[in-house]
Amino acid sequence: MNWEKMVTKLLNTVIGIFYIFLWTPLIIVIVFSFSTHKYGSKWEGFTTKWYGKLIANEAVQDALIRSLIIAVITMIAATIIGTITAYGLYKFQFKGKPFLRTSILLPLVFPSVITGAALLVFFTRILHIPLGYPSIIIAHIVFCSPLAVFIILGRMQRMDWTLEEASMDLGATRFKTFKRVTLPVLLPGIMASAMLIFPWSFDDFVITYFVAGVGSTTLPIYVYSQLRFGTSPILNTIATLFVVVTIIGFFASHFFQKLDIRK
Amino acid sequence: MTNLPNEPDQSDVVNTNNETNKIFPFEIPLFIGPMTIIIAVFVFAPLLIILGISFIKSGIYGDLIFTFTLDNYKAALGSKYGPVFYRSILMAAQTNIICILIGYPIAYNIARFGGKWKNMLLFLIIIPSWSSYLIRLYALKTLIGRKGLLNTFLINMDIISQPLEILYTQTAVMIGLIYAWLPFMVLPIYASIEGLDQSLLEASADLGSRPFKRFLRVTLPLTKGGLLAGSILCFIPTVGEWLVPQIFGGSKVMMAGSLVAQKFMGVGNMPQGASLAIMLATTLILILYLAIKFGGKDAMEKMI
């Protein structure tokens, strides 16, 4: 009994350290974004002036708008593709299905450097797609749709499918049933997935960096370009913005999931 | 182990549905077509192009000379790039083992003793894992840098007199890797422990096994899927890491991903980069294949 208690205590300590390790850097950056200190690496006094400077900074404005446009388009496209693919994978049995499932996993687990480099060569040497919005959006759809597939597949496994069967028994075609019955029932799950895709695209750096070309600075690329100058108050405010976007996305996703359960 | 009940297979569900609802041949491509095209055109085709480029020569100014050569692979395996490659795999393996050693007890404790705090504790892991990777690394750098809070704190406490030079060492890169990938180890393991059938543990206890043995003989084998899934999510991206060595290693510590990035950026040497990328990709696909083969479907489903 005593031995078990000791192990539990040890485990709890490890958990405590883990959470401190995970959160301290983020909390420090958020706190320092409100510090008056010139280099943003010390607490001196409370101020919100850096946020004013952030909004007034034209390079940041430009990068932020670009990142938002890309994330919105990616979110919509990846969610649509993810939904129909998940439905196809869940409902149908076809040749090469295990292969397709594993292949969809590739863009998710592959090192971003390989995906980025391969896409860069493909865009510039083969397809001659201009680097900038088109190349970034295609790349984002490539690594975001697989994520949508797996999130929505997870929802489908918990869904009540009798409604769909009823609709088809009553003579509606599968396509009509999908549009009129399945989709509305799945909608909260789909929205929940979209809310997770948005930060996933908004946050991406490595792949975007490869395919962005010159002049298409997204917000993460801007952050990277400023990194070599070390810690700065502006970077702290941008970092805070990123964490806030993720938390909002996550809460929105959670909200839609709750909606799903209530139905 | 084979006698234990498994979760119902997904293919069973599909089969029963197929019996009641007719499928027309044109319907399947309608649903899976777009994704198939994306995977074929934007995942496999670019990899094939890279494979092709890896066998040709590079000019002095980074242009491509279309003659067949194996030199890129010789260089990739030779003394110039080989050591970086092996070190990346070694570092990724170390990261993975450390992540398992820290991650498993954490996932276990949250799943078993989390109680009403469970969701909150999980939420606190998911938020950082979902936040921008670059931002998290920036935040960590702020903390462990020369003038960072860690050094300031330790000096003020009189524990050290000189600031610790953590940045730009292999240790810094390891800390960065663990910081970046640990959440992705905890979550799948948590899922597998959460899905554990409690009656099996009770049965084992009734039959007189001690807690430690119970863990080793029942819990651990049954959560193998989660462990494998976590390892896939952690190990594969780590081997090809570029950003972490870039930020925490400077030019001193390089990993396989750094080499690939270096060869593709600027003037670079595209065929050399391509051969490195292909070697990296082949290694990782092999590992992924083995993991899925031995972990089975369980690992796949625990992953997302």
Side-chain angles (χ1 to χ4, degrees):
Chain A
M1 202 59 210
N2 226 348
W3 186 79
E4 255 180 66
K5 251 185 194 160
M6 235 169 68
V7 172
T8 314
K9 220 173 185 178
L10 191 77
L11 277 176
N12 283 335
T13 318
V14 172
I15 292 188
I17 295 171
F18 165 72
Y19 278 100
I20 291 171
F21 178 55
L22 211 56
W23 275 94
T24 309
L26 291 176
I27 289 171
I28 287 172
V29 165
I30 292 170
V31 169
F32 282 175
S33 76
F34 294 103
S35 164
T36 45
H37 190 252
K38 199 164 56 168
Y39 301 113
S41 57
K42 226 186 219 160
W43 180 258
E44 280 185 352
F46 181 83
T47 179
T48 52
K49 71 173 173 187
W50 304 119
Y51 287 90
K53 288 216 164 139
L54 177 78
I55 295 165
N57 188 326
E58 268 176 38
V60 173
Q61 272 176 22
D62 184 57
L64 176 64
I65 289 168
R66 188 172 284 111
S67 280
L68 286 175
I69 291 173
I70 291 165
V72 168
I73 297 175
T74 304
M75 178 181 78
I76 295 169
T79 305
I80 293 172
I81 295 168
T83 307
I84 56 175
T85 313
Y87 186 84
L89 282 175
Y90 189 77
K91 279 276 155 180
F92 306 134
Q93 206 60 278
F94 50 88
K95 225 174 140 189
K97 184 172 156 179
F99 182 72
L100 182 65
R101 249 189 97 122
T102 316
S103 307
I104 293 175
L105 209 65
L106 277 186
L108 284 182
V109 296
F110 240 42
S112 310
V113 170
I114 298 181
T115 313
L119 281 174
L120 172 68
V121 173
F122 193 58
F123 288 152
T124 52
R125 303 266 164 170
I126 309 290
L127 293 185
H128 300 288
I129 290 176
L131 296 184
Y133 277 117
S135 62
I136 299 176
I137 289 169
I138 291 175
H140 279 219
I141 291 174
V142 171
F143 71 78
C144 286
S145 338
L147 191 70
V149 172
F150 286 109
I151 297 175
I152 295 167
L153 254 182
R155 298 274 176 285
M156 284 180 170
Q157 271 152 8
R158 271 173 269 144
M159 191 182 126
D160 178 14
W161 289 95
T162 47
L163 282 172
E164 189 184 56
E165 276 166 34
S167 158
M168 285 171 74
D169 285 346
L170 290 171
T173 61
R174 180 180 291 278
F175 194 69
K176 205 168 181 183
T177 306
F178 181 73
K179 219 174 80 181
R180 294 276 186 81
V181 180
T182 319
L183 213 53
V185 175
L186 266 180
L187 201 62
I190 293 170
M191 292 301 286
S193 148
M195 294 301 113
L196 293 179
I197 300 290
F198 185 86
W200 192 256
S201 160
F202 188 73
D203 290 352
D204 179 73
F205 167 68
V206 178
I207 294 175
T208 317
Y209 188 61
F210 270 90
V211 300
V214 184
S216 297
T217 308
T218 62
L219 203 51
I221 294 180
Y222 176 80
V223 171
Y224 182 73
S225 70
Q226 298 297 310
L227 263 187
R228 63 197 141 107
F229 305 120
T231 311
S232 83
I234 289 285
L235 281 187
N236 289 343
T237 53
I238 297 176
T240 308
L241 181 74
F242 272 106
V243 177
V244 169
V245 166
T246 309
I247 292 179
I248 289 175
F250 199 79
F251 268 112
S253 174
H254 201 67
F255 167 76
F256 284 116
Q257 251 177 42
K258 277 263 169 67
L259 227 63
D260 204 4
I261 293 163
R262 214 177 296 153
K263 269 188 179 177
Chain B
M1 291 316 300
T2 43
N3 298 333
L4 294 171
N6 279 322
E7 277 179 59
D9 203 331
Q10 197 199 319
S11 55
D12 296 341
V13 181
V14 177
N15 280 336
T16 46
N17 279 333
N18 283 356
E19 280 163 21
T20 48
N21 304 327
K22 257 190 225 136
I23 300 172
F24 299 102
F26 66 87
E27 283 177 337
I28 298 178
L30 212 62
F31 285 100
I32 61 158
M35 187 53 117
T36 313
I37 293 170
I38 288 181
I39 296 289
V41 175
F42 294 110
V43 178
F44 284 116
L47 281 177
L48 284 178
I49 303 294
I50 293 272
L51 180 67
I53 291 179
S54 72
F55 287 110
I56 64 173
K57 277 185 180 157
S58 166
I60 307 166
Y61 304 108
D63 47 331
L64 301 175
I65 300 167
F66 290 89
T67 26
F68 180 82
T69 175
L70 283 173
D71 289 351
N72 301 318
Y73 284 95
K74 279 180 196 150
L77 289 165
S79 57
K80 198 170 174 195
Y81 304 116
V84 179
F85 214 87
Y86 305 134
R87 194 177 54 208
S88 303
I89 293 178
L90 189 71
M91 283 173 78
Q94 285 171 341
T95 307
N96 205 30
I97 290 169
I98 296 174
C99 283
I100 289 176
L101 289 180
I102 307 174
Y104 200 99
I106 291 167
Y108 187 83
N109 248 28
I110 295 174
R112 303 299 299 282
F113 309 115
K116 59 177 179 176
W117 296 101
K118 222 182 246 183
N119 280 337
M120 190 62 196
L121 288 170
L122 269 185
F123 177 74
L124 286 175
I125 299 177
I126 294 173
I127 285 298
S129 77
W130 213 261
S131 301
S132 171
Y133 172 56
L134 176 69
I135 294 299
R136 293 178 61 218
L137 296 181
Y138 161 71
L140 185 63
K141 193 181 181 183
T142 312
L143 181 69
I144 65 172
R146 195 166 195 280
K147 289 178 185 164
L149 207 70
L150 183 69
N151 271 327
T152 319
F153 176 76
L154 290 177
I155 290 174
N156 285 347
M157 296 290 284
D158 274 332
I159 298 173
I160 52 171
S161 55
Q162 288 292 315
L164 292 173
E165 301 282 353
I166 305 174
L167 277 183
Y168 312 122
T169 60
Q170 190 153 330
T171 316
V173 176
M174 287 293 289
I175 294 174
L177 291 174
I178 294 168
Y179 183 66
W181 298 104
L182 188 53
F184 295 93
M185 181 63 85
V186 177
L187 296 173
I189 295 179
Y190 170 82
S192 68
I193 295 175
E194 186 71 350
L196 204 65
D197 189 353
Q198 288 300 312
S199 56
L200 289 172
L201 287 175
E202 280 160 24
S204 164
D206 287 347
L207 291 172
S209 81
R210 307 273 305 269
F212 185 67
K213 199 173 177 189
R214 199 157 67 218
F215 173 78
L216 223 56
R217 302 290 288 273
V218 184
T219 312
L220 203 56
L222 283 176
T223 50
K224 191 184 73 178
L227 266 174
L228 265 170
S231 299
I232 291 173
L233 289 180
C234 194
F235 183 81
I236 292 185
T238 310
V239 179
E241 193 61 70
W242 162 60
L243 197 57
V244 173
Q246 180 83 2
I247 292 177
F248 293 95
S251 54
K252 286 180 190 153
V253 187
M254 287 186 108
M255 292 180 73
S258 332
L259 289 178
V260 175
Q262 196 186 49
K263 299 292 169 201
F264 275 98
M265 296 276 180
V267 176
N269 180 339
M270 213 185 273
Q272 185 62 66
S275 71
L276 289 162
I278 289 297
M279 273 184 36
L280 190 56
T282 318
T283 316
L284 298 180
I285 289 178
L286 195 72
I287 292 171
L288 188 63
Y289 171 77
L290 288 176
I292 288 174
K293 199 178 167 201
F294 289 115
K297 252 197 169 137
D298 194 32
M300 286 276 286
E301 261 144 40
K302 291 283 164 1
M303 199 135 35
I304 308 291

